[in-house]
Amino acid sequence: MSKVPRIPNLGGARAFVLHRPHPTVLAITRQLSAIGLETVGCWPELPAEALAADFVFFDADLGFDEQFPWTPGEAPMPLVALIGSEAPGRIEWALSHKADAQLLKPVGNAGVYSALLIARQSFEARKLLAGEISSLRLRVAERQTIVRAVEALSKGAEDGRAYAQLRSLAMSWQISVEEAARRIVAMTEEGGDDQSHRA
C-alpha cells in the first residue's frame, strides 16, 4: 500500500508577495492570513530578507530577472507565479524561474492554499531530483577517475590486476578506492614515477 503524503501545517510560515499594490495582493494576503502565514508585500524587487522566506509569490506579468536576489531557476524556496496574461513570452519567463505552482489573476477567495501545497511538493521533488542527479554525476566522474588510475597502473598489464592493485593501495593507505584513484591520477598528471605507486 502506497504512503499518502501528509498535508503539512503551514501556520507560522512566511510568504513574500512580489507584486505592485493591487487588489490581487489583498486577496492573497487575506487567504494567507487565514491559513496562518505571515505575509510581506514588496515591489519592485525582493529585499535580502526574502532569502529566508518559506514561499514567494511573484507577478509573472510585469516581472523581470533583476527583481530576484538569485539566478533564474535557483530560488531557495517554492515559487508561485501570479499569471494574468497568457502571452507566451510571459509564461516562458515564469517557467525560466521554475515556478512551482501558479495562480491565475484576478485572485478570488480561494486557490492560495492549494497553490502553497502544490508549490511545496513540487519544490521538494525538484530538490530531491537535483540531489540525485548531482550524486549520479559524481559517481560517473569517480568511475572515470578509477578507469584512468587503472590505465596508469596497468602499463600494458591486465586491467584486472591493475584494479586489484588499486584496491590493495586503497587498503594500505586506508582510504576509499575512489580517493586512491584520485591520488594516482594526480601523481600521474604531475609526472610522478608510477613505480612509486606500486611500492
Side-chain angles (χ1 to χ4, degrees):
M1 185 170 163
S2 64
K3 186 179 176 185
V4 178
R6 293 190 65 228
I7 301 295
N9 178 5
L10 300 175
R14 195 166 191 221
F16 279 72
V17 182
L18 180 61
H19 196 289
R20 67 200 183 287
H22 190 272
T24 289
V25 177
L26 297 175
I28 291 169
T29 301
R30 269 195 311 271
Q31 290 184 58
L32 289 171
S33 295
I35 298 165
L37 278 78
E38 177 191 344
T39 307
V40 179
C42 48
W43 186 261
E45 57 191 39
L46 284 170
E49 62 263 25
L51 288 167
D54 297 293
F55 297 93
V56 169
F57 290 75
F58 69 93
D59 184 6
D61 299 334
L62 297 176
F64 51 95
D65 290 345
E66 292 74 22
Q67 289 181 299
F68 303 97
W70 54 73
T71 304
E74 295 182 11
M77 77 288 291
L79 299 179
V80 179
L82 302 168
I83 300 174
S85 165
E86 291 189 324
R90 290 282 78 197
I91 304 274
E92 188 176 320
W93 179 80
L95 290 172
S96 77
H97 280 272
K98 294 195 169 41
D100 299 294
Q102 68 172 23
L103 268 176
L104 295 179
K105 296 190 286 185
V107 176
N109 295 322
V112 168
Y113 184 63
S114 59
L116 288 171
L117 296 180
I118 290 166
R120 176 173 278 178
Q121 184 167 352
S122 176
F123 177 77
E124 293 300 330
R126 191 159 42 86
K127 266 188 10 186
L128 183 66
L129 184 60
E132 288 174 357
I133 289 170
S134 176
S135 174
L136 287 172
R137 283 184 177 150
L138 182 61
R139 286 172 57 193
V140 166
E142 286 176 342
R143 286 176 194 258
Q144 290 170 343
T145 302
I146 289 171
V147 168
R148 289 173 59 201
V150 167
E151 286 173 357
L153 289 170
S154 69
K155 290 289 187 190
E158 196 178 296
D159 283 349
R161 267 195 193 152
Y163 182 71
Q165 185 178 9
L166 174 63
R167 285 187 15 226
S168 175
L169 284 169
M171 284 191 284
S172 68
W173 291 339
Q174 297 183 344
I175 57 175
S176 69
V177 171
E178 293 81 6
E179 180 58 33
R182 282 192 290 273
R183 282 189 190 180
I184 290 167
V185 168
M187 288 183 214
T188 304
E189 288 173 353
E190 289 169 7
D193 181 4
D194 282 325
Q195 294 305 315
S196 65
H197 305 158
R198 299 166 195 244

